[in-house]
């Protein structure tokens, strides 16, 4: 009996051998329990992968099979099943090259083991698939194409809570799901170049989560104002017009980012002055008196006028040898923020009341009232404090989780679009607090019930280590080789065959690896209803320049909004 004909468990051992007929292999009629002719054999086996030989004639026969998965046999990214001593082992083709084996012309390919299953009641079919391999196949074991019935077992839900987001490639009807608890419990990242459908994919995933969890608590940082249209019915939309974020919620580090303009040695001097005066301003609140001891980081309301008065008082006590320039510098910056209407969403005198409970409730959706997601549109926030605003929102989520450990609080999900802006790598780091906050959430958040979702088109610009903290990675097409290499380094070895196809993915396709799926999978995303899509479509230059007539009054309206700095 040749290498190609070893019987699998529970199958007849009376297979008749392949008989050479020129370059074509002909097999006598298979026995009733035979899964069909093999397409190749195992040549080498190692712990993580193997090398196999695939017969070219058999691959040509499979190419016209009515089963779409069998028809893909031999292609990079397709799956094969191999007989083992206890059942079947499933593997993914990583690469291929022309070669010969025992005088036969065919393909030499490396495969990555994905998992194993039992021999089912239906001859040749895999059942009860499990991730990981405990019984490896032997060299010489026959290789068979994995059909739709096998893949249906592989990608079937194991009973955990899951959301369906698309269809498993290359099948037409096998649904692709993500295990919500596993994905959110260990963070996730959605990656993809501009124009691949990344924003729509993000909206699809969040819609599915919201539909399944109407009492969830999700905060999304939206830097471009894309997602308001997608979640107008299922979420609350906040921008500079209605955010009303009290300035006194900032901790000392965030105060320094907002109020200090100096650099170098002068910055430390300014920071010491600000810390002293800020603590005095916070201490004037009756709430501080009732608490006894407070720190400069305590979220105690204070008046900006009290802070500037404290700066003035401290400056008046200086001796002649001490410069008053730092005091004037800080005071001038505070006055500028108070008087600039662009910052009124945060530094308005109307925000001095103790509204912390109400603010956290509306942002964290507690209660959610059937709208579990908050879209924080920061596109209208002045660029010099955008990072501070994102840092404050992120830190509030983390601090809320820490101080709520003794309560029966619900987990929180923070989703950051354009994440490379906020957690940049060391080369692009600017020392802002938002990077440190998000890095801490990535490392420690799951201990306290805070999940992080990162969305970016430039994964190589993310801080090293942050992507590796994401247990589930959804990678759409990446055109930049540096980004591709960065993602390969972050993904598990068993996904290498899938990763090689990242550059060739179509729009609305992605590779999913990690905790959120049983095995790595290539997915075609579902179409999302137009009313639930983000406003991120590329403009049609040819159509607009051909058909669109410009309304003269439009320029007046734009100029008016521009001058008033209001949408």
């Amino acid at each position: 009996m040749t290498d190609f004909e070893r019987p699998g468990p529970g199958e007849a051992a009376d297979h008749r051998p392949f008989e050479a007929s020129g370059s074509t292999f002909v097999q006598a009629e298979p026995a009733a329990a035979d899964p069909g002719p093999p397409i190749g054999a195992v040549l080498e086996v190692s712990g993580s992968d193997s090398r196999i030989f695939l017969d070219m004639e058999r691959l040509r026969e499979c190419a016209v099979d009515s089963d779409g998965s069998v028809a893909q046999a031999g292609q990079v990214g397709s799956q094969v099943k191999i007989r083992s001593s206890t059942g079947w082992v499933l593997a993914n083709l990583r690469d291929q090259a022309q070669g010969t084996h025992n005088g036969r012309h065919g393909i030499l390919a490396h495969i990555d083991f994905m998992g194993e299953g039992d021999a089912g009641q239906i001859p040749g079919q895999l059942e009860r698939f499990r991730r990981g391999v405990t019984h490896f196949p032997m060299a010489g074991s026959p290789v068979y194409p994995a059909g739709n019935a096998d893949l249906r077992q592989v990608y079937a839900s194991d009973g955990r809570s899951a959301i369906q987001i698309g269809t498993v490639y290359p099948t037409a009807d096998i649904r692709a799901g993500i295990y919500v608890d596993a994905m959110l419990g260990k963070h996730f990242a959605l990656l993809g170049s501009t124009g691949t459908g990344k924003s729509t994919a993000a909206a699809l995933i969040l819609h599915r989560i919201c539909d399944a969890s109407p009492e969830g608590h999700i905060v999304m940082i939206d830097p471009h104002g894309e997602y308001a249209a997608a979640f107008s019915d299922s979420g609350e939309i906040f921008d500079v017009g209605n955010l009303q974020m009290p300035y006194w919620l900032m901790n000392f580090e965030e105060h320094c980012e907002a109020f200090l303009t100096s650099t170098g040695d002068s910055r430390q001097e300014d920071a010491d002055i600000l810390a002293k005066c800020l603590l005095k301003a916070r201490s004037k609140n009756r709430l501080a008196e009732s608490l006894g001891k407070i720190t400069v980081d305590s979220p105690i309301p204070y008046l900006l006028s009290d802070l500037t008065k404290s700066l003035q008082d401290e400056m008046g006590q200086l001796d002649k040898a001490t410069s008053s320039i730092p005091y004037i510098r800080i005071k001038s910056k505070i006055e500028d923020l108070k008087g600039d209407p662009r910052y009124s969403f945060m530094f308005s005198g109307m925000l001095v009341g103790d509204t912390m409970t109400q603010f956290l409730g509306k942002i964290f959706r507690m209660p959610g009232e059937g709208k579990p997601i908050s879209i924080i549109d920061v596109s209208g926030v002045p660029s010099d404090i955008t990072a501070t605003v994102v840092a404050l929102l992120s830190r509030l989520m983390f601090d809320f989780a820490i101080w709520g450990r003794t309560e029966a609080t619900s987990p929180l999900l923070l989703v950051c679009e354009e994440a490379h802006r906020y957690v940049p790598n060391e080369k692009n780091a600017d020392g802002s607090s938002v990077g440190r906050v998000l890095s801490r959430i990535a490392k420690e958040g799951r201990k306290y019930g805070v999940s992080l979702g990162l969305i970016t088109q430039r994964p190589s610009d993310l801080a090293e280590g942050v992507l590796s903290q994401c247990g589930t990675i959804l990678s759409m097409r990446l055109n930049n080789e540096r980004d591709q290499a960065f993602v390969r380094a972050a993904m598990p070895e068993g996904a290498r065959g899938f990763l090689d196809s990242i550059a060739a993915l179509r729009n609305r396709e992605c590779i999913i690896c990690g905790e959120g799926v049983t095995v790595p999978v290539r997915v075609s995303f579902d179409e999302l209803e137009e009313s639930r899509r983000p406003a991120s479509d590329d403009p049609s230059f040819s159509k607009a320049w051909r058909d669109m007539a410009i309304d003269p009054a439009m320029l007046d309206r734009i100029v008016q909004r521009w001058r008033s700095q209001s949408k």
Side-chain angles (χ1 to χ4, degrees):
M1 190 173 289
T2 68
D3 288 345
F4 276 37
E5 304 139 8
R6 295 185 178 170
E11 297 177 345
D14 60 350
H15 299 173
R16 281 178 264 180
F18 282 103
E19 299 171 359
S21 175
S23 61
T24 304
F25 290 94
V26 181
Q27 190 182 34
E29 192 68 23
D34 199 328
I39 59 173
V42 176
L43 301 180
E44 298 175 6
V45 178
S46 68
S48 61
D49 65 3
S50 292
R51 198 162 64 94
I52 63 174
F53 173 79
L54 299 175
D55 182 77
M56 189 64 75
E57 287 298 322
R58 281 291 296 123
L59 293 181
R60 291 195 185 100
E61 293 172 11
C62 289
V64 296
D65 198 283
S66 59
D67 186 322
S69 299
V70 173
Q72 295 280 340
Q75 295 190 23
V76 172
S78 65
Q79 284 79 45
V80 294
K81 58 183 182 181
I82 307 167
R83 301 176 193 262
S84 72
S85 60
T86 59
W88 295 98
V89 174
L90 191 82
N92 181 70
L93 259 75
R94 190 197 321 157
D95 55 25
Q96 59 172 238
Q98 285 188 331
T100 57
H101 177 63
N102 290 342
R104 303 168 183 165
H105 177 63
I107 291 174
L108 296 174
H110 286 94
I111 57 174
D112 298 308
F113 294 126
M114 300 169 67
E116 61 187 356
D118 301 331
Q121 297 298 316
I122 301 175
Q125 185 172 316
L126 174 153
E127 288 187 359
R128 292 180 292 277
F129 179 80
R130 302 171 298 278
R131 189 174 184 173
V133 178
T134 54
H135 295 86
F136 288 92
M138 301 289 289
S141 299
V143 175
Y144 297 86
N148 267 11
D150 298 311
L151 297 184
R152 205 176 299 279
Q153 291 287 323
V154 172
Y155 298 113
S157 172
D158 61 9
R160 289 181 287 170
S161 177
I163 54 170
Q164 292 189 349
I165 59 168
T167 306
V168 175
Y169 176 88
T171 72
D173 59 352
I174 297 179
R175 300 293 290 155
I178 301 180
Y179 298 117
V180 178
D181 292 339
M183 179 177 76
L184 301 186
K186 294 186 178 178
H187 313 310
F188 71 94
L190 174 59
L191 318 171
S193 296
T194 300
T196 58
K198 184 173 75 277
S199 298
T200 304
L204 171 67
I205 293 169
L206 292 175
H207 273 303
R208 294 286 192 266
I209 293 174
C210 291
D211 292 344
S213 309
E215 294 302 318
H217 310 288
I218 306 170
V219 176
M220 181 175 201
I221 307 298
D222 177 10
H224 303 302
E226 295 178 329
Y227 293 89
F231 293 93
S232 57
D233 294 331
S234 56
E236 287 290 339
I237 314 301
F238 298 97
D239 57 22
V240 292
N242 66 347
L243 184 57
Q244 295 183 315
M245 175 185 290
Y247 58 85
W248 48 263
L249 285 174
M250 294 189 295
N251 63 13
F252 176 62
E253 185 177 15
E254 292 150 4
H255 270 87
C256 289
E257 290 182 356
F259 292 165
L260 303 187
T261 57
S262 54
T263 57
D265 295 338
S266 297
R267 189 173 183 86
Q268 184 57 54
E269 181 184 1
D270 290 6
D272 293 340
I273 293 170
L274 179 60
K276 185 176 181 180
C277 295
L278 178 59
L279 185 58
K280 283 186 177 181
R282 289 197 193 275
S283 299
K284 290 184 178 181
N285 191 297
R286 291 182 180 178
L287 183 59
E289 296 177 6
S290 65
L291 292 174
K293 184 179 180 180
I294 66 168
T295 71
V296 72
D297 286 328
S298 298
I300 304 295
Y302 71 89
L303 293 170
L304 285 173
S305 58
D306 284 341
L307 179 56
T308 55
K309 186 176 183 303
S310 181
L311 286 165
Q312 187 68 42
D313 293 343
E314 288 292 321
M315 186 168 59
Q317 297 175 13
L318 297 177
D319 55 40
K320 292 182 179 179
T322 308
S323 173
S324 61
I325 292 177
Y327 298 87
I328 296 173
R329 190 162 48 211
I330 300 171
K331 185 181 175 189
S332 296
K333 179 62 176 179
I334 295 171
E335 296 291 352
D336 289 344
L337 292 174
K338 284 173 60 179
D340 193 329
R342 296 177 302 157
Y343 301 89
S344 60
F345 74 95
M346 189 172 181
F347 295 100
S348 169
M350 303 295 291
L351 300 175
V352 72
D354 185 9
T355 57
M356 186 172 182
T357 301
Q358 296 92 316
F359 181 77
L360 295 180
K362 76 175 184 178
I363 296 298
F364 298 164
R365 311 307 304 140
M366 296 180 177
E369 300 174 342
K371 294 185 174 184
I373 185 169
S374 292
I375 304 296
I376 313 296
D377 176 2
V378 296
S379 61
V381 174
S383 59
D384 59 326
I385 63 164
T386 300
T388 305
V389 169
V390 177
L392 173 55
L393 290 167
S394 305
R395 182 186 54 78
L396 286 175
M397 293 189 76
F398 191 63
D399 285 352
F400 175 82
I402 289 178
W403 295 107
R405 279 177 295 179
T406 58
E407 302 286 344
T409 57
S410 293
L412 304 170
L413 168 61
L414 174 64
V415 182
C416 280
E417 175 70 270
E418 299 281 4
H420 59 277
R421 290 186 180 187
Y422 307 121
V423 274
N425 57 26
E426 188 174 341
K427 177 182 176 182
N428 300 317
D430 57 3
S432 62
S433 60
V434 64
R436 288 186 288 274
V437 171
L438 291 177
S439 294
R440 189 179 180 193
I441 291 176
K443 295 173 184 175
E444 306 174 31
R446 62 188 183 88
K447 302 175 185 176
Y448 305 105
V450 180
S451 179
L452 182 63
L454 302 176
I455 305 172
T456 179
Q457 61 190 12
R458 294 303 306 268
S460 60
D461 286 345
L462 280 173
E464 289 185 24
V466 171
L467 189 61
S468 63
Q469 296 290 335
C470 294
T472 303
I473 296 177
L474 302 90
S475 180
M476 305 183 77
R477 186 175 69 250
L478 291 167
N479 301 323
N480 185 285
E481 289 187 8
R482 188 160 151 261
D483 291 328
Q484 294 170 19
F486 193 81
V487 173
R488 283 193 189 95
M491 283 190 173
E493 273 196 11
R496 281 182 292 181
F498 289 91
L499 294 176
D500 291 337
S501 64
I502 282 179
L505 292 173
R506 294 175 292 184
N507 288 354
R508 294 180 43 248
E509 282 190 348
C510 81
I511 305 296
I512 307 177
C513 301
E515 301 293 332
V517 289
T518 305
V519 293
V521 58
R522 179 173 172 176
V523 174
S524 296
F525 282 115
D526 288 338
E527 281 276 3
L528 193 58
E529 302 92 325
E530 191 167 347
S531 62
R532 307 184 104 193
R533 295 177 192 168
S536 57
D537 291 341
D538 295 330
S540 173
F541 288 84
S542 58
K543 185 176 186 302
W545 288 353
R546 182 180 65 246
D547 303 332
M548 187 178 291
I550 295 297
D551 175 12
M554 177 188 68
L555 290 174
D556 290 331
R557 293 193 296 270
I558 292 174
V559 170
Q560 180 61 30
R561 288 196 296 271
W562 195 342
R563 285 174 172 166
S564 64
Q565 296 287 294
S566 172
K567 292 185 178 182

